Amino acid sequence: QTFSLPPWLVAHICCMMLSWGFFLPIGALIAISFRDKEGFWFTLHKAVQSLGLALMIAGFVVAFLNVSSSYHFQSTHGLLGVIVVAFGLFQALQGMIRPHKPSAGEEPTTLRRIWEICHKSFGRIVLLLAWVNLYLGVKLVKNFYQGVPRQLTSSIFFGMNAILILQTAICLIVTGASVCYRHYDHNDDDDNDNNNNSSNKPMKDATEHSSNNHFHGHEQTEVSV
C-alpha cells in the first residue's frame, strides 16, 4: 500500500520552507551585506522579500482553508504560525512606510534611526521564530502517518530535516560570505584612503615649501628696500 501526504499539506510545507527557510533569510542577508553600496541591492532585496512574502501568504491560506480554525490555536505550531505570519506582514508594512533615507553626508532623522532599529531587530526576531516553527512543523508531519510503517515515518522525518539542515547551511554560508565581503571591502576603502593621503602629502609639503620660499623672498625684498 502506498502512503502519501495530502496535496494541501505538501503545498503548505513547500511554500513555508521556501519562504521562511530560504527566500526571506536570503533577502535579509542581501540588505545586511550590501546596504552600504550603491546599486541594485535594494531592488533585489525587495524582489526576493516580495517573493518570500507571497509564498508565506500562499502557505498560510492553504493551511487555513484545510485545517480547522480552532486547531490553529490548539497546537504550538499552529499558534506560532499565526504569530509569525502576522509579524511577517507587519515587517513588510514597515518596509513600505520607511522614512526618507538621508543623503550622503546628511544625518538621519530621529524617526529614521528608530525605524532602522525596529525594522532590523524585528526582522531578526521573526526569522528566528519562523525557523523554530519550521522544525515544529517537521515533527507535526508524524501525526499524518499514524498506523503506517515506522520505517516510512522515519524516512519522511529524516528527509524533511535534511532539507532544513541544507537550507540552514546555505544561509550560514551566505552569512559568512557577506561578513567577509564587508570586511575586505572596508579594508580596501581604508587602503584607498591611506593611498590618497600619502599621494596628497607630497603635494601639500611642496605647496607649503613654495609658500615659505615666497614668504622669505618677500621679507628679503622688504629688508633690501
Side-chain angles (χ1 to χ4, degrees):
Q1 185 177 1
T2 303
F3 297 92
S4 61
L5 287 171
W8 71 265
L9 183 56
V10 174
H12 172 73
I13 292 172
C14 291
C15 287
M16 289 307 190
M17 290 185 69
L18 286 173
S19 173
W20 290 107
F22 187 76
F23 285 109
L24 292 176
I26 294 299
L29 289 176
I30 290 172
I32 293 172
S33 305
F34 306 107
R35 65 176 180 269
D36 295 332
K37 291 293 180 183
E38 298 295 334
F40 69 97
W41 76 264
F42 186 62
T43 302
L44 184 60
H45 169 70
K46 290 193 297 182
V48 174
Q49 296 300 78
S50 297
L51 179 57
L53 187 68
L55 288 169
M56 179 199 75
I57 294 173
F60 175 78
V61 170
V62 167
F64 186 81
L65 294 177
N66 290 275
V67 178
S68 172
S69 58
S70 61
Y71 181 78
H72 293 299
F73 300 96
Q74 291 177 355
S75 69
T76 304
H77 175 74
L79 179 59
L80 188 57
V82 172
I83 294 174
V84 166
V85 169
F87 282 8
L89 293 174
F90 179 69
Q91 181 71 356
L93 179 62
Q94 285 190 72
M96 290 187 288
I97 61 173
R98 62 189 180 280
H100 174 70
K101 181 180 179 181
S103 304
E106 181 184 356
E107 287 293 325
T109 63
T110 302
L111 185 61
R112 174 74 186 191
R113 291 181 187 275
I114 294 174
W115 176 85
E116 288 182 352
I117 294 174
C118 292
H119 190 62
K120 295 173 185 177
S121 302
F122 202 81
R124 291 177 174 88
I125 292 172
V126 71
L127 279 174
L128 178 60
L129 292 176
W131 275 83
V132 170
N133 209 35
L134 285 176
Y135 279 98
L136 292 176
V138 170
K139 292 184 177 181
L140 199 61
V141 171
K142 284 187 173 182
N143 292 343
F144 291 88
Y145 280 85
Q146 294 177 357
V148 302
R150 180 179 178 84
Q151 183 179 1
L152 178 59
T153 305
S154 300
S155 298
I156 294 170
F157 188 67
F158 175 80
M160 295 282 290
N161 275 288
I163 293 173
L164 284 175
I165 291 172
L166 177 61
Q167 291 178 335
T168 304
I170 292 173
C171 288
L172 290 176
I173 291 172
V174 174
T175 302
S178 68
V179 171
C180 292
Y181 172 84
R182 290 173 64 83
H183 174 73
Y184 287 116
D185 188 64
H186 179 72
N187 288 341
D188 289 342
D189 290 340
D190 290 341
D191 291 340
N192 291 333
D193 291 340
N194 292 333
N195 291 334
N196 291 334
N197 292 334
S198 299
S199 61
N200 291 334
K201 186 176 180 181
M203 296 178 62
K204 181 179 180 182
D205 292 341
T207 303
E208 290 179 351
H209 181 70
S210 176
S211 299
N212 289 336
N213 288 341
H214 177 75
F215 176 73
H216 290 307
H218 183 68
E219 282 187 338
Q220 289 176 1
T221 302
E222 289 181 348
V223 171
S224 299
V225 173

